[in-house]
Amino acid sequence: MADKYDIIRDQAVAWAIRTRSADFADWEDFTLWLEADPLHNKAYEQLLSAEDQYVDLIEDAVSNNESATVPPQPANDEFVAPGIEPNRRRVLFGAIAASLVVAVSAGMWTQMPQPYDIITAPGQREIVALPDGSKISLNGDTKIALDHKKPRYARLEHGEALFTVVHDDDRPFIVDTADIRLVDAGTEFNVISNAQTLDVAVSEGLVIFNPDRENVSLAAGKRLYRPTPESRATVSTVAVQQVGAWRTGRLSFAGETMNEVAEALGRNLGADITVSERIAARPFSGVIQISDGDAQNMEPIAAVLGVQAKKQGKGWILIGDDAVP
């Protein structure tokens, strides 16, 4: 497994490559990544510092080889006001910055352990930027395996992740999880995977479920759900605005069991939430808006679920209204 600091450094390089693009607009997620861990900002600043040092070396080399005689300015050159000279450092930086970052990235990309894991604790979130512009948003209690030799491949070991994939006809993005494969050519889709449940929801583009077996096409607004590995997967509709809404604290359910609801709450809140056996299979449909303080007081959420929340150790247990824990 790759060292945590190597992974963060590599993510910083990926963000640096993306932010160099003239049409980069994903500043919100970039800011969230910087704020998620103090080490993120430190790694990004160190990368920029390395670029500055490289620029200084190039600038010194150019200066030492320049003739002391300044060539005459052609008559058709743009006028420069007296006393104002172009910022050579800025010009140099603009000319080589992108290639520098790509070069640094290539070195890191090939020297990092293959593959490597990114793991989030319950209640923790992470945004992983990939060099091609794709990104993966990880919810809490999630483990994903990536491989620098296969930059358009990921294996979701468990948890929840939202994949935002840059289109490439020649290289589809592949996600493996449990015993299934998802193939995507450029889209946004959310995946929940654990020992039992598989839940795939698409908000944009097209995803192929197990192309070598079932070969089910999931277009935007479609959801594939499989409650157990032995069950047959079913396809239904889903509101595209609900896909990945967990990033804003909005959890949507459509017939999930109380066990699955508790798992989602624990993943997002970082709390240990269990369910009494009597209500574990009870279905729930609805929307829950969560906030940071809910981990300390589950009673309002329990009321929405139509159950009770009782303290149990350091966590909570959900029980029926007529039951005792």
Side-chain angles (χ1 to χ4, degrees), residues 282-298:
R282 180 187 297 181
F284 173 77
S285 297
V287 178
I288 299 175
Q289 185 69 45
I290 63 173
S291 59
D292 293 338
D294 290 334
Q296 286 71 48
N297 181 16
M298 283 288 300

Side-chain angles (χ1 to χ4, degrees), residues 101-175:
V101 173
V102 170
V104 173
S105 174
M108 292 183 181
W109 199 251
T110 56
Q111 293 173 18
M112 288 282 290
Q114 316 288 342
Y116 66 99
D117 297 336
I118 297 179
I119 303 172
T120 58
Q124 177 192 2
R125 292 174 179 173
E126 184 71 75
I127 299 173
V128 181
L130 302 179
D132 69 346
S134 300
K135 66 180 179 182
I136 307 171
S137 301
L138 305 181
N139 204 346
D141 193 19
T142 296
K143 178 181 179 180
I144 194 167
L146 302 174
D147 191 333
H148 295 299
K149 294 179 180 178
K150 296 186 289 184
R152 289 180 68 84
Y153 172 84
R155 178 168 184 84
L156 179 61
E157 300 290 351
H158 65 78
E160 182 172 19
L162 179 73
F163 297 85
T164 305
V165 178
V166 171
H167 182 78
D168 188 333
D169 284 331
D170 298 325
R171 296 189 307 156
F173 198 97
I174 297 174
V175 178

Side-chain angles (χ1 to χ4, degrees), residues 70-104:
V70 179
Q73 180 178 343
N76 62 345
D77 265 11
E78 183 178 349
F79 172 76
V80 177
I84 301 178
E85 297 181 357
N87 188 326
R88 291 179 63 255
R89 178 180 178 80
R90 183 176 302 168
V91 172
L92 278 170
F93 184 85
I96 69 173
S99 59
L100 168 64
V101 173
V102 170
V104 173

Side-chain angles (χ1 to χ4, degrees), residues 201-230:
V202 182
S203 61
E204 185 180 315
L206 185 72
V207 173
I208 308 299
F209 172 80
N210 275 343
D212 295 331
R213 301 205 306 263
E214 294 88 342
N215 194 30
V216 178
S217 297
L218 302 173
K222 293 297 182 181
R223 175 197 183 203
L224 182 142
Y225 177 70
R226 191 183 69 180
T228 68
E230 298 78 23

